[in-house]
Amino acid sequence: MAFSFKLEAQDRTTAARAGRFTTRHGEVLTPAFMPVGTVGSVKTLTPDELRAAGADILLANTYHLYLRPGVETVRRMGGLHRFMGWPGAILTDSGGFQVMSLSDLRKVTDQGVEFRSHLDGSRHLLAPEDAIRIQDGLGTDIAMSLDELVRMPAVASVVREAVDRTVAWAGRGFEERERLRGEGGGAMALFGIVQGGTDPAERARCFAGLSRHGFDGWALGGLWVGEGRSLGLEMVEHDCAMFPADRPRYLMGVGHPVDLIEAVARGVDMFDCVLPTRNARRGTVFISTGRLVVKNAAYATDQRPLDPECDCYTCTRFTRGYLRHLFAAGELLGMRLASLHAVHQMVSLARAARGAVVEGRYAAFRAAFLEKFRSRATLTPAADGH
Amino acid sequence: MAFSFKLEAQDRTTAARAGRFTTRHGEVLTPAFMPVGTVGSVKTLTPDELRAAGADILLANTYHLYLRPGVETVRRMGGLHRFMGWPGAILTDSGGFQVMSLSDLRKVTDQGVEFRSHLDGSRHLLAPEDAIRIQDGLGTDIAMSLDELVRMPAVASVVREAVDRTVAWAGRGFEERERLRGEGGGAMALFGIVQGGTDPAERARCFAGLSRHGFDGWALGGLWVGEGRSLGLEMVEHDCAMFPADRPRYLMGVGHPVDLIEAVARGVDMFDCVLPTRNARRGTVFISTGRLVVKNAAYATDQRPLDPECDCYTCTRFTRGYLRHLFAAGELLGMRLASLHAVHQMVSLARAARGAVVEGRYAAFRAAFLEKFRSRATLTPAADGH
């Protein structure tokens, strides 16, 4: 098959790993941060900019693309890679998360999820088999199984039922991919998703059920939904301890720099999150020394780049003062330049983490990162513009 | 002085000219189309993209920059060129046009224009001397004289009064630049603006009054405000016939491809217009064969680029189908890619016109351009996606 994962290094004193996997669209080095291209574009950015920022894999949202422009349009345009002009790898989500968060009239049954489009109110049924066929139709490199999420906090019986359904749906999705492969399709990798909220026993039970199938990788689902960082990281540690070493692990929806660094330390290989780019479009970016609200008036004559240590296009060419002006004036270029930095920052952070693992110094790397990130150095606006 | 214009070629059968002028920020080849960077950014685009599109001069709006971020901020940031990261030439307008079109409570007196900011309602007086000092403070390469515009149609006496005031203000502005030069500033070029609406006699009277000063170039004002293309072009022909050959001529606010080609044929050297980029942000672009409304559903699976003959980044990398999808989904990348094509298209058109003049074949170039532009070829959506 087109997908293979190779574990290249393990840190000595933490559970951090370095690996790489190959897809039909190139290699992906892990740990990896995947910028989110919701509807077939990482908002404001071109594929070339994503490449220049170091990205080798993107995430695209199945729910959005299924509704618009539709799978048939993407297929006629040569698949999602050609459609959006992205030569690297693509991971698609199953659509389930967005059905839950965006659509109206959701109804979950054993069959699947019934919902109304948030765009035009049309009715749809997303069964686990559909989720696989849609992702295959988009031409993804890595597909995710349809899972059931529960809103937390939830009583134990609700969590248990969602785990049962997640296991059953994942099995049906896996069989659907086998069927597609029998027809010459389904070349994509398929990941299983562990649910079970913050109950380690349920998460273990979920994993045990899913393990009956030969999933190509493992996702940690249902976390970072309000349970708090320390409990979330406990679950990460728990799940990674039960996962096989020879498959990539993907912590869904996590994108804060500190979370990434801590989750890598516990054995996670892949991340995605819209927050870095969403915040950037609103005038806030992470830099190596913390969180910079560049739209603030205090930066109006600050001649430093967003991050004096960053070598992204934005930081090598523009000042905080100019960015601040663009945000104050509502100029799209501001969103764009901040987004570019944000993607570069997260992709580079994951890449730096990889380097530290390879060199067997992840614990020191993590400590240095955290100290610096919490220092808030360079965040204070310059007194006289310098 | 830093500004000098050299007429390099004149067409044999039309009044078309090819020239170049030097500024403190490089050479500008004419005919030239100046993309508009209203508040210090050509919306959605970076300076590097503007360079790659062939632009060597931009227009920036004094009114906007005066109100936000303010001249003092721009000055502290090293001037407008450094502030926005643009190494090429900049022409600024006087601010008068935008005062008239955007601000509240405008009151024109001999002293200047009193107005309220459209941003915060604050009161300001823009006298002709202020317009010069502000533009000098921004660090522009070419400044425009403050003029009085009248809303058309207008009775003769109103037009006459506006011409009188335009002449008087231009003189005061010119003296102000002389004064600044006496202090070591005012290095910028300064253009006079001919008003007079569609009355050739008034336009001639305006020019005669302005000619008492040594303006570095001549702008054609008060045109393309609803009088119709043929009458507008008559005025262009009239004005260019009275202008000296050794100064550049600038037709303000004109940016339709046909208008540019026709005005070049009558002796115009410089153009600016927000329409190409504004239309682009709304999903409509000019291509070599007409006007393409790429946001239309008919292009959803059209695999051709916006313009099959264009070599801009957008046209070499993306399909109409993808652009259509981006507009349908409200993605900023669509605005950006269309804007990039729009700037490239207009800058390239002016550059092609220059080449035709240099080679003494402007009449044939114009005929071929018009025939093709009116052909609407390639605008019909592809039947099956190709």
Side-chain angles (χ1 to χ4, degrees):
Chain A
M1 284 292 102
F3 185 85
S4 71
F5 176 75
K6 186 166 164 252
L7 184 61
E8 297 192 319
Q10 287 190 276
D11 188 51
R12 292 164 304 175
T13 60
T14 71
R17 301 142 44 96
R20 76 176 65 211
F21 54 83
T22 55
T23 72
R24 288 172 300 165
H25 294 92
E27 285 202 327
V28 175
L29 303 178
T30 62
F33 176 80
M34 302 183 281
V36 179
T38 303
V39 303
S41 112
V42 175
K43 292 190 193 306
T44 80
L45 303 179
T46 65
D48 293 289
E49 286 167 337
L50 298 168
R51 273 296 200 203
D56 41 27
I57 182 168
L58 303 183
L59 180 143
N61 289 127
T62 294
Y63 169 83
H64 286 92
L65 292 165
Y66 163 74
L67 292 179
R68 186 173 59 193
V71 177
E72 190 47 36
T73 294
V74 173
R75 203 196 304 262
R76 285 176 66 186
M77 295 299 283
L80 186 54
H81 297 78
R82 267 192 64 192
F83 184 51
M84 65 184 287
W86 170 247
I90 295 177
L91 178 148
T92 44
D93 61 8
S94 68
F97 182 80
Q98 252 108 15
V99 164
M100 294 303 181
S101 54
L102 291 177
S103 69
D104 298 321
L105 285 176
R106 299 170 303 276
K107 194 178 145 197
V108 177
T109 67
D110 286 343
Q111 199 192 351
V113 194
E114 255 185 81
F115 65 97
R116 279 186 189 273
S117 160
H118 74 294
L119 298 176
D120 62 6
S122 56
R123 280 178 182 278
H124 302 265
L125 171 71
L126 184 69
E129 293 85 354
D130 299 323
I132 298 302
R133 280 196 303 273
I134 293 168
Q135 293 178 80
D136 192 46
L138 294 172
T140 193
D141 297 297
I142 303 177
M144 302 300 294
S145 303
L146 185 67
D147 56 345
E148 185 183 354
L149 292 138
V150 293
R151 287 194 194 281
M152 301 302 287
V155 295
S157 63
V158 170
V159 173
R160 203 157 52 232
E161 197 182 323
V163 163
D164 290 341
R165 205 167 256 148
T166 292
V167 170
W169 285 358
R172 284 163 55 190
F174 192 88
E175 292 310 316
E176 181 64 14
R177 189 187 62 164
E178 294 304 295
R179 195 187 65 74
L180 289 171
R181 287 188 169 179
E183 293 176 350
M188 65 211 180
L190 179 60
F191 281 23
I193 305 177
V194 171
Q195 293 289 351
T198 51
D199 180 343
E202 279 302 312
R203 300 190 72 88
R205 194 170 70 83
C206 189
F207 175 66
L210 295 169
S211 295
R212 293 193 296 267
H213 309 286
F215 287 112
D216 302 296
W218 293 100
L220 298 90
L223 299 176
W224 268 257
V225 291
E227 77 279 9
R229 175 177 288 160
S230 87
L231 188 51
L233 288 172
E234 264 183 52
M235 296 303 111
V236 168
E237 196 163 345
H238 169 271
D239 286 7
C240 287
M242 69 189 177
F243 289 146
D246 65 349
R247 294 283 190 281
R249 299 96 173 254
Y250 161 32
L251 179 55
M252 303 174 80
V254 171
H256 189 287
V258 171
D259 293 333
L260 184 144
I261 292 302
E262 293 292 1
V264 165
R266 288 159 177 81
V268 173
D269 305 306
M270 300 162 67
F271 301 85
D272 82 283
C273 193
V274 294
L275 270 187
T277 41
R278 181 176 293 164
N279 288 341
R281 293 197 303 281
R282 295 171 181 172
T284 297
V285 292
F286 292 122
I287 66 174
S288 54
T289 54
R291 185 167 170 275
L292 179 74
V293 186
V294 70
K295 71 177 172 189
N296 280 354
Y299 298 110
T301 57
D302 194 325
Q303 302 204 16
R304 292 170 297 183
L306 292 177
D307 188 341
E309 296 183 17
C310 179
D311 61 354
C312 80
Y313 176 72
T314 301
C315 288
T316 52
R317 296 295 299 273
F318 302 98
T319 61
R320 292 177 184 178
Y322 184 57
L323 271 286
R324 192 272 156 181
H325 167 65
L326 294 177
F327 279 105
E331 287 289 301
L332 299 180
L333 183 59
M335 296 189 186
R336 179 184 159 190
L337 294 175
S339 296
L340 188 54
H341 167 79
V343 166
H344 184 275
Q345 194 269 337
M346 291 303 296
V347 170
S348 300
L349 183 61
R351 193 58 51 90
R354 177 185 159 82
V357 173
V358 169
E359 294 169 15
R361 52 174 180 83
Y362 192 77
F365 169 82
R366 170 172 61 167
F369 166 81
L370 291 174
E371 185 186 347
K372 190 171 189 178
F373 191 79
R374 288 167 177 158
S375 74
R376 303 180 49 83
T378 84
L379 293 186
T380 309
D384 67 6
H386 290 276
Chain B
M1 283 291 101
F3 185 84
S4 71
F5 176 76
K6 187 166 164 249
L7 183 62
E8 297 192 320
Q10 287 191 274
D11 188 50
R12 291 165 304 176
T13 60
T14 71
R17 301 143 43 98
R20 76 176 65 212
F21 55 82
T22 55
T23 73
R24 287 172 299 166
H25 294 92
E27 284 203 328
V28 175
L29 303 178
T30 63
F33 177 79
M34 301 182 281
V36 179
T38 303
V39 303
S41 112
V42 175
K43 291 188 192 309
T44 79
L45 303 178
T46 65
D48 293 289
E49 286 168 336
L50 298 168
R51 272 297 199 204
D56 41 27
I57 182 168
L58 303 183
L59 181 143
N61 289 127
T62 294
Y63 169 82
H64 287 92
L65 292 165
Y66 163 73
L67 292 179
R68 187 172 58 192
V71 177
E72 190 47 37
T73 294
V74 173
R75 203 196 305 262
R76 285 176 66 186
M77 295 298 284
L80 186 54
H81 297 79
R82 268 192 63 191
F83 184 52
M84 64 184 288
W86 169 247
I90 294 177
L91 179 148
T92 44
D93 61 7
S94 68
F97 182 80
Q98 253 110 13
V99 165
M100 293 303 180
S101 54
L102 291 177
S103 69
D104 298 321
L105 284 178
R106 300 171 301 277
K107 193 178 146 197
V108 178
T109 66
D110 286 343
Q111 199 193 349
V113 195
E114 254 185 82
F115 65 96
R116 279 187 189 273
S117 161
H118 75 293
L119 297 176
D120 62 7
S122 56
R123 280 176 183 278
H124 302 265
L125 170 70
L126 184 69
E129 293 85 355
D130 299 323
I132 299 302
R133 279 196 303 271
I134 292 167
Q135 293 178 81
D136 193 46
L138 294 172
T140 193
D141 298 297
I142 304 176
M144 303 300 294
S145 302
L146 184 67
D147 55 347
E148 185 184 354
L149 291 138
V150 293
R151 288 194 195 281
M152 300 301 287
V155 295
S157 63
V158 171
V159 172
R160 203 158 50 232
E161 198 181 323
V163 164
D164 290 341
R165 204 166 259 147
T166 292
V167 170
W169 285 358
R172 284 163 55 189
F174 191 87
E175 292 310 316
E176 181 64 15
R177 190 187 60 165
E178 294 305 294
R179 194 186 66 73
L180 289 171
R181 287 187 169 179
E183 293 176 350
M188 66 210 179
L190 179 60
F191 281 22
I193 305 177
V194 171
Q195 292 290 352
T198 52
D199 181 342
E202 279 302 312
R203 300 189 72 87
R205 194 169 70 83
C206 190
F207 176 65
L210 296 169
S211 295
R212 292 193 297 266
H213 309 286
F215 287 111
D216 303 296
W218 293 100
L220 299 90
L223 299 175
W224 267 257
V225 290
E227 76 279 8
R229 175 178 288 160
S230 88
L231 188 52
L233 288 173
E234 264 181 53
M235 295 304 110
V236 168
E237 195 163 344
H238 169 271
D239 285 8
C240 287
M242 67 188 179
F243 289 146
D246 65 349
R247 293 283 189 281
R249 298 95 174 255
Y250 161 32
L251 179 55
M252 304 173 79
V254 171
H256 188 288
V258 171
D259 294 334
L260 184 145
I261 291 301
E262 293 292 2
V264 165
R266 288 159 178 81
V268 173
D269 305 306
M270 299 162 67
F271 301 86
D272 81 284
C273 194
V274 294
L275 270 187
T277 40
R278 182 177 293 164
N279 287 341
R281 293 197 304 280
R282 295 171 180 172
T284 297
V285 292
F286 292 122
I287 65 173
S288 53
T289 55
R291 187 167 168 275
L292 179 75
V293 187
V294 69
K295 71 176 172 190
N296 280 353
Y299 298 110
T301 57
D302 195 325
Q303 301 204 14
R304 292 171 296 185
L306 292 177
D307 188 340
E309 297 184 17
C310 179
D311 61 354
C312 80
Y313 175 73
T314 301
C315 288
T316 52
R317 297 295 299 273
F318 302 97
T319 62
R320 292 177 184 177
Y322 183 58
L323 270 286
R324 192 273 156 181
H325 167 65
L326 294 177
F327 279 106
E331 287 289 301
L332 298 179
L333 182 59
M335 296 188 187
R336 178 184 160 189
L337 293 175
S339 296
L340 188 54
H341 167 79
V343 166
H344 184 276
Q345 194 269 338
M346 291 303 295
V347 170
S348 300
L349 183 62
R351 192 59 50 90
R354 176 186 160 83
V357 173
V358 169
E359 294 169 15
R361 52 174 181 82
Y362 192 77
F365 169 83
R366 169 171 64 166
F369 166 81
L370 291 174
E371 185 185 347
K372 190 172 188 177
F373 191 79
R374 287 167 178 159
S375 73
R376 301 179 50 83
T378 84
L379 292 185
T380 309
D384 68 5
H386 291 278

